[in-house]
Amino acid sequence: FTLQFDGALTLTHGSSLYLPGATNFTTEANDCLSFIATAANTVRCTGYALKDGGSPVVAGGGKLLQVVQTSSISSASTTSSAWTTSGITVTITPASTSNHVLLLVTTSMNVQSSSTDFGCITLFRGTVSGTNLGYGIGLAQGFTGMRNSTGMSYYNQGLNISYLDSPSTTSAQVYTLAMRSADNSSSVGVNNGAQRSTFIAMEIDGT
């Protein structure tokens, strides 16, 4: 059977009324919904023709809400085994505690040494004393590591990082690209030779 509504009526999804997307729906004048009986006092909506041509199923999360981008051509390096900021950061303020932040980084990483030394790169929520988003085990302890095993005094390669963070806050969030030397002596850096790095933060609807 089909019902045509003459105004607003909230239909509540439940055990006796099955609605598309398992979500409640409020009608408008001239909306038409078709139903079938599946048991005594139980009906299921099987079709609809809405006045606005839309759907009674409300889209869920995943929508892109805002994008912030920073870029830099400034080089930075360290010989410390402690995490050190590269100076490349991005700041974004989520609109809801349920939303996510997708981080995308494009940069170049280099290890300068004539021996088989190792450098690491990671992302922090906050400063380098904040939360290491890529923390692992062993030498890398970050999103990625690079060993200069070529015998060259300088080794450079492009690097891309992506990470979906859930900061659970509506306060401004700073994200930092950081680096460290695994052996406390080799020089590890980014943007050597004035190459450009970009750091993008995108807020994703989590509702």
Side-chain angles (χ1 to χ4, degrees):
F1 62 94
T2 298
L3 298 178
Q4 179 173 327
F5 297 86
D6 59 7
L9 177 66
T10 298
L11 304 179
T12 303
H13 174 80
S15 59
S16 61
L17 176 59
Y18 290 85
L19 296 174
T23 58
N24 300 341
F25 174 65
T26 301
T27 65
E28 295 184 34
N30 298 318
D31 283 349
C32 294
L33 278 74
S34 298
F35 301 87
I36 61 170
T38 58
N41 300 316
T42 303
V43 296
R44 178 185 297 272
C45 179
T46 57
Y48 47 83
L50 305 186
K51 181 185 69 173
D52 62 4
S55 167
V57 180
V58 178
K63 297 183 288 293
L64 178 62
L65 302 179
Q66 63 167 314
V67 179
V68 180
Q69 174 179 287
T70 61
S71 64
S72 174
I73 59 173
S74 299
S75 61
S77 63
T78 184
T79 58
S80 173
S81 61
W83 287 111
T84 304
T85 181
S86 66
I88 301 171
T89 65
V90 68
T91 301
I92 190 169
T93 304
S96 170
T97 57
S98 63
N99 292 345
H100 310 292
V101 176
L102 178 60
L103 303 170
L104 302 172
V105 179
T106 299
T107 188
S108 62
M109 176 182 179
N110 58 77
V111 178
Q112 299 181 37
S113 176
S114 58
S115 61
T116 56
D117 291 328
F118 201 91
C120 312
I121 292 286
T122 197
L123 298 177
F124 279 86
R125 185 195 309 131
T127 65
V128 292
S129 61
T131 301
N132 188 340
L133 299 177
Y135 193 82
I137 60 175
L139 286 175
Q141 295 185 344
F143 276 91
T144 190
M146 188 172 75
R147 183 183 296 278
N148 182 0
S149 58
T150 64
M152 298 186 298
S153 61
Y154 176 86
Y155 185 72
N156 183 79
Q157 69 176 18
L159 179 64
N160 295 296
I161 298 173
S162 59
Y163 182 77
L164 185 65
D165 187 35
S166 300
S168 301
T169 183
T170 55
S171 299
Q173 296 296 292
V174 178
Y175 292 93
T176 302
L177 179 67
M179 55 198 173
R180 65 182 287 268
S181 170
D183 63 359
N184 209 33
S185 63
S186 57
S187 177
V188 178
V190 297
N191 276 3
N192 192 283
Q195 296 161 313
R196 182 176 296 278
S197 292
T198 59
F199 199 162
I200 299 173
M202 299 188 289
E203 183 181 5
I204 307 298
D205 183 10
T207 58

